[in-house]
Amino acid sequence: MPRGIVVFLGPSCERETAERILPAEFRPPAARGDIAAAAGSGAQVIALIDGVFFQECAVGHREILSALSRGIRVIGASSMGALRAAELDTLGMEGVGLIYRLYRDGTLVSDDEVALVYDPETFAPLSEPLVNIRCTLRRARESGILSRDEAKVLLESARSLYFPERTYPQVCRQAEGRLSAETCRRFLEFARVHAVDQKRADAIEALAVARERAREAGVLG
């Protein structure tokens, strides 16, 4: 394992896939102080993908800025990484992926968009992030599965749920009375096969960027 590359990864992407893209030291979702600890251990490239929030203290802005001031490349994407990159990209943090750009441009404003619950041992997601639901609704609309108004009702239903309760079946149940049973059945069948996992796509893109930055830094051959 090359020294100097640290990736904070949890439910956004399965570890096996990540390891095929980037040989690195993989650590669990980052909490307050973990970026400083990685910098102190000699990291030259840090990819912040997943991080804790709500239940624990989130990664601090100052520890990222401190790492950047030491010349460490810090990349953010997908989840907590996208949030912090949108806040700190003008100060040197590198944001990657669609979710980062949506936060940067103000299209997304709430941390709640990327929140989910997951198995603490396997990191398997147990609910669906709102941003993934948004992307799936858009794909369903573009595919002719939903009308614009139907997609809007389902998005409103998803937003009305607390993030641990967000699953596609629960979103449809929340929309009962405003959408027909046939519309919900059609959408659930579509989501079962074609659901968009934007957080995973952005995580994979960030790992590839981190690999390039590691090569530039001479950490990878």
Side-chain angles (χ1 to χ4, degrees), residues 36-59:
S41 69
Q44 297 180 53
V45 176
I46 297 173
L48 173 60
I49 295 175
D50 288 306
V52 301
F53 42 134
F54 297 121
Q55 73 275 33
E56 296 181 55
C57 289
V59 167

Side-chain angles (χ1 to χ4, degrees), residues 126 153-158 160-161 164-181 183-185 187-188:
L126 301 176
V153 168
L154 288 169
L155 179 58
E156 289 171 351
S157 298
S160 71
L161 293 167
E165 301 171 345
R166 288 178 183 141
T167 63
Y168 288 108
Q170 186 59 34
V171 169
C172 285
R173 282 192 287 273
Q174 191 75 359
E176 284 181 0
R178 292 187 291 165
L179 292 180
S180 70
T183 297
C184 289
R185 185 205 62 76
F187 172 67
L188 286 175

Side-chain angles (χ1 to χ4, degrees), residues 23 40 46 64 70-71 86 103 118 142 152 164 170 178 210:
I46 297 173
I64 294 173
R70 297 168 61 173
Y103 275 118
Y118 56 87
E142 292 172 347
K152 183 178 179 182
Q170 186 59 34
R178 292 187 291 165

Side-chain angles (χ1 to χ4, degrees), residues 4-8 34-36 38-39 43-48 67 72-76 210:
I5 310 171
V6 174
V7 178
F8 292 96
D34 286 344
I35 297 293
Q44 297 180 53
V45 176
I46 297 173
L48 173 60
I72 298 169
R73 306 296 295 267
V74 184
I75 298 151

